[in-house]
Amino acid sequence: MKAKAVSAPYLVWMAIFIIVPMLLVVYFAFTDSSGAFTLDNIAQVGQYSNVFLRSIWLGALSTVVCLLLGYPVAAIVAHTSVKRQSALIMLVMLPMWMNFLLRTYAWMTLLEDSGFINSFLSAVGLPTLHMINTQGAVVLGMVYDYIPFMILPVYSVMSKMDPSVIEAAQDLGADGRRVFLRVTLPLSMPGVISGVTMVFVPSVSTFIISKMLGGGGNLMIGDLIDMQFLGTAYNPNLGSAISLVLMVLILICMGIMNEFDDGESQGGGMLL
């Protein structure tokens, strides 16, 4: 009874702010402006398949870059002293203390044709680069904003690894590459999967970064939904249908990642 009483506020909160909005999305997705049932909204989502593919591609690319950059950082932090770990983790989290919009505006200032980077290149006699309003700028913005969500879960798992397991692998004759591939990587997979999920989901559905750094030529799913609710092409029913399809795609991706996580975690740490 006590456990139920403690969880009651959370259940109420979840019902009001999670379940009810999701039910409203489903309702609007399957109705027209008059409230009649229709499948036209779902059918119209297919015409935006190129936007879905672009969003998935840029989200996956940003996730891979975050993994390649964040995994070594998490490993370095996890293998330092406890005092240094606290300082390094604070440095990782420091940008998150700043407003998300301000961070994106800062990248606009850096990447503009007359921005700081091109001004520096001109000053040293090098040709300038067109960086703003490109897919590269969108990926760069997402990596910068979301890489802490990759570093922190990987660090959390790696910091709890038993050093004796790695020492045992080395005693059995495994070199550094084999220790990493057969022991360290499998044991850290729960953190990797968590980090991949935490980066991929907001990357696919982002709209501020793509709007400010990508311009109108790099439309993503988040921008498309934003246009249906707040833009000139006001159509909340179509926007809800797009949101529902995006939700289903994300749930499928998360289900696949969870299955992969289960298989890896059971076999982690075995030296074959």
Side-chain angles (χ1 to χ4, degrees):
M1 293 297 294
K2 290 184 178 180
K4 291 182 178 180
V6 171
S7 62
Y10 171 73
L11 295 175
V12 173
W13 177 278
M14 185 174 65
I16 295 175
F17 295 102
I18 299 178
I19 297 177
V20 172
M22 289 182 65
L23 292 176
L24 288 174
V25 169
V26 173
Y27 169 77
F28 280 105
F30 290 101
T31 56
D32 56 19
S33 57
S34 63
F37 176 81
T38 180
L39 294 176
D40 290 342
N41 298 320
I42 301 297
Q44 290 182 50
V45 175
Q47 65 183 314
Y48 300 108
S49 57
N50 59 327
V51 179
F52 276 82
L53 291 175
R54 183 187 301 117
S55 300
I56 293 172
W57 160 245
L58 293 180
L61 181 59
S62 302
T63 303
V64 170
V65 175
C66 284
L67 178 59
L68 293 177
L69 296 177
Y71 193 97
V73 173
I76 291 171
V77 175
H79 289 90
T80 57
S81 63
V82 177
K83 290 184 178 180
R84 289 186 178 181
Q85 285 184 22
S86 301
L88 293 174
I89 289 299
M90 186 187 70
L91 291 176
V92 171
M93 297 180 63
L94 192 60
M96 299 172 66
W97 298 355
M98 221 183 309
N99 183 272
F100 184 87
L101 193 60
L102 291 178
R103 284 182 280 159
T104 309
Y105 268 120
W107 275 111
M108 288 182 63
T109 305
L110 292 173
L111 300 178
E112 284 177 346
D113 292 336
S114 57
F116 176 80
I117 295 177
N118 278 324
S119 298
F120 174 78
L121 292 175
S122 299
V124 297
L126 296 175
T128 59
L129 303 172
H130 176 67
M131 296 173 286
I132 197 69
N133 298 334
T134 62
Q135 291 188 359
V138 176
V139 172
L140 180 61
M142 289 193 292
V143 170
Y144 172 76
D145 284 311
Y146 299 135
I147 194 169
F149 298 107
M150 180 67 71
I151 295 174
L152 294 177
V154 176
Y155 156 76
S156 178
V157 172
M158 296 188 73
S159 63
K160 297 174 184 177
M161 286 185 186
D162 189 353
S164 62
V165 177
I166 297 177
E167 293 173 1
Q170 294 171 339
D171 291 340
L172 291 173
D175 56 16
R177 183 180 68 86
R178 287 199 173 194
V179 169
F180 173 74
L181 293 177
R182 303 292 179 86
V183 180
T184 305
L185 183 59
L187 288 175
S188 63
M189 282 307 296
V192 171
I193 299 302
S194 178
V196 167
T197 303
M198 293 176 66
V199 172
F200 179 73
V201 171
S203 296
V204 169
S205 57
T206 187
F207 67 97
I208 288 295
I209 297 175
S210 54
K211 181 182 294 185
M212 297 175 65
L213 300 182
N218 295 285
L219 194 69
M220 295 183 67
I221 300 176
D223 302 308
L224 192 60
I225 296 172
D226 178 63
M227 289 168 55
Q228 304 304 319
F229 285 96
L230 300 176
T232 54
Y234 179 74
N235 191 344
N237 300 94
L238 178 58
S240 298
I242 298 172
S243 302
L244 183 62
V245 172
L246 176 61
M247 237 189 297
V248 171
L249 290 176
I250 289 175
L251 287 174
I252 292 173
C253 292
M254 291 179 65
I256 294 173
M257 298 301 285
N258 287 336
E259 289 295 325
F260 183 74
D261 182 20
D262 292 339
E264 289 294 334
S265 61
Q266 290 174 2
M270 294 181 66
L271 187 64
L272 303 178

